[in-house]
Amino acid sequence: MMRWLLLLLGGALLGGVVHLATIMILPRTATHDAYARISPIAPVNTVVALPAPTPDRELMPFMDPAFADAVCRYDLSKGPLKLTVPVSLAYTSVSFYTRYDVAFYAINDRAAGRRTVDLDLMTAEQHNDMPEEEDVTAADRLIVESPTTTGLIVIRALATEPGLMPLTRNTLAGAQCRPVPPSQASR
Amino acid sequence: MRLLFGSLFAFMVAALVGLGATYFALTRGAAFGALTLGSWTAFPKSGTIDADPYARASLARTGRLPTSLGDGVFFAAKTDDSGRVLDGRCDVVISGVTPAARFWTLTLYSPDGALIANSVNRYGFTSQEIVRRADGSFEIVVAPRAYPGNWLPTGGVDHYSLVLRLYDSAVGVSTKAGREAPMPAIKTTSCP
């Protein structure tokens, strides 16, 4: 009897380990996470408009229907990326997500304080490789470090009423993300 | 032989306990650092790089992208203020004010996060299109049949969730319940 109780206790303890392990591993094995849903429609290092959510079809659950969304699926393995987002009428935000859908940075139009949000996205390593003097001259440039080589940039613009949605989508169509050409990388 | 049966038993218990707990945690959407104001709950930390493993696993499973804390805060309500599950066949009134934010949106979703079809294609309101009283407070009627004023149709579904997103707001990880973050009240007024 005692023996079975001990086995039960041991099993339960081992179960705790199994539980923690599965929770930790899950994001890396998920085949239907946001990144996987977006990948088929979003070529690498290009801004693509996301289809507006409708009752029958939506790319991801809990998308805000008042917003026009665009996404840039980035890959920094070949070098840093430059992002330019024109600011729309009401509210524009740019959120950065790692390959595993963790939000690591976000900025909105007011924080950017200009008519466009301009920034450079790079890995910590690429940032360290930047020449010292450039860091100084680039003081007005916003540099964002990505913890992963790949991930998602989600650009969102609010249409304060449904009638403004076409205009908002139009403004968002001017957003660009493109790799910095190697010749310019050290300029 | 005894050792074999014994270890088999222990492994079975481990699998049952471990996978059961994982399933339970993910279907309940458990995460640490919940901020509950009235019937509204947010997980501000889930929208940061410090998101805990439970939040990460739950996001990966549902396929949702979290609202980044630098962008806004995502509050969800599944019940009214008296704890009653939100029912699309009832009339529910959302009234009061929201915490300070540059913009907010209120959206109605099915429990799994889909928009709900309705005759007027209205899925929510933004802070700019709402009709307000002189003191700035508002009242939104969530009901299956049309109402004058701010009417949010439910499409007559059994259950739904309300999501209030505050954009460019100071509400976040360090917010405590109380006066600094007044959330609108949710009341079921009549049920057929």
Side-chain angles (χ1 to χ4, degrees), chain A residues 134-167:
Chain A
E134 180 163 356
D135 243 4
V136 182
T137 54
D140 60 329
R141 236 168 74 194
L142 192 58
I143 292 175
V144 180
E145 274 185 22
S146 170
T148 51
T149 329
T150 56
L152 299 170
I153 305 172
V154 179
I155 307 158
R156 312 173 65 234
L158 174 65
T160 47
E161 49 185 282
L164 290 173
M165 186 52 96
L167 187 66

Side-chain angles (χ1 to χ4, degrees), chain B residues 64-84:
Chain B
R64 185 162 92 71
L65 275 181
T67 304
S68 185
L69 193 56
D71 182 19
V73 198
F74 175 108
F75 280 95
K78 293 190 173 84
T79 66
D80 69 4
D81 287 349
S82 58
R84 182 175 175 157

Side-chain angles (χ1 to χ4, degrees), chain A residues 3 22 62-64 91 97 160, chain B residues 22 66 71 105 109 126 165:
Chain A
R3 185 185 138 80
T22 46
F62 293 107
M63 283 174 79
D64 193 332
Y91 173 80
Y97 298 90
T160 47
Chain B
T22 299
D71 182 19
T105 64
Y109 293 98
T126 70
R165 292 174 173 96

Side-chain angles (χ1 to χ4, degrees), chain B residues 21-33:
Chain B
T22 299
Y23 177 79
F24 188 74
L26 290 183
T27 45
R28 284 298 186 86
F32 296 106

Side-chain angles (χ1 to χ4, degrees), chain B residues 32-114:
Chain B
F32 296 106
L35 169 62
T36 302
L37 304 170
S39 27
W40 304 92
T41 305
F43 295 92
K45 229 176 173 175
S46 298
T48 69
I49 192 82
D50 300 323
D52 64 75
Y54 286 92
R56 292 174 186 223
S58 154
L59 288 171
R61 198 187 73 93
T62 55
R64 185 162 92 71
L65 275 181
T67 304
S68 185
L69 193 56
D71 182 19
V73 198
F74 175 108
F75 280 95
K78 293 190 173 84
T79 66
D80 69 4
D81 287 349
S82 58
R84 182 175 175 157
V85 174
L86 294 172
D87 188 328
R89 292 159 295 195
C90 303
D91 293 0
V92 172
V93 175
I94 305 168
S95 61
V97 290
T98 63
R102 223 168 110 204
F103 293 99
W104 53 258
T105 64
L106 177 80
T107 318
L108 191 143
Y109 293 98
S110 73
D112 58 354

Side-chain angles (χ1 to χ4, degrees), chain A residues 17 25 30 43 49 51 55 66 89 91 100-101 128 152 155 160:
Chain A
V17 176
I25 288 168
L89 286 174
Y91 173 80
Y100 299 108
D101 313 312
N128 289 338
L152 299 170
I155 307 158
T160 47

